[in-house]
Amino acid sequence: MATAVKTETFDQEVIQSETPVLVDFWAEWCGPCHAVAPVLDKIAEERAGEIKLVKVNIDEERELAEKYGIASIPTMILFRDGEPAAAVIGAQPKGAIERSLGLAS
């Protein structure tokens, strides 16, 4: 299950993480965000120990959304070593998300 991350916990949960972190920028009112959530849960579940999934509610954490240039949601950014490494915008099938993030085997 994804961890909700706030501005105060973002550095600890994402930037300082030794494990790559998939950050799901979403909002409660966003239908496609709810549609893609189980897909992201599945990706994280299949890669347990290899990747961590966290969620940022852009309505509650506007500062983070602005910092990472979130213009539309859902936007998923994969952080490696504290830096954004890849991103996917919009609800897409699991395989497309994995390919865009460089996770496809």
Side-chain angles (χ1 to χ4, degrees):
M1 202 62 203
T3 306
V5 174
K6 302 202 173 292
T7 302
E8 304 80 48
T9 58
F10 192 84
D11 276 2
Q12 180 185 349
E13 292 285 342
V14 179
I15 305 302
Q16 297 171 10
S17 176
E18 293 180 12
T19 306
V21 182
L22 181 56
V23 181
D24 176 18
F25 290 89
W26 74 289
E28 192 61 51
W29 48 263
C30 168
C33 297
H34 289 284
V36 80
V39 176
L40 299 178
D41 286 339
K42 184 79 173 155
I43 290 170
E45 182 184 310
E46 288 176 357
R47 291 175 169 73
E50 298 171 37
I51 196 170
K52 183 165 79 169
L53 175 63
V54 301
K55 296 172 93 58
V56 173
N57 183 323
I58 63 157
D59 288 335
E60 296 172 1
E61 306 300 329
R62 293 184 194 276
E63 195 178 300
L64 286 173
E66 287 175 20
K67 180 175 182 178
Y68 291 103
I70 306 304
S72 61
I73 53 172
T75 294
M76 291 71 69
I77 301 177
L78 181 65
F79 284 77
R80 290 185 192 275
D81 302 318
E83 296 292 325
V88 179
I89 298 172
Q92 299 179 27
K94 181 173 173 284
I97 291 172
E98 289 172 321
R99 282 190 296 280
S100 296
L101 295 175
L103 299 174
S105 43

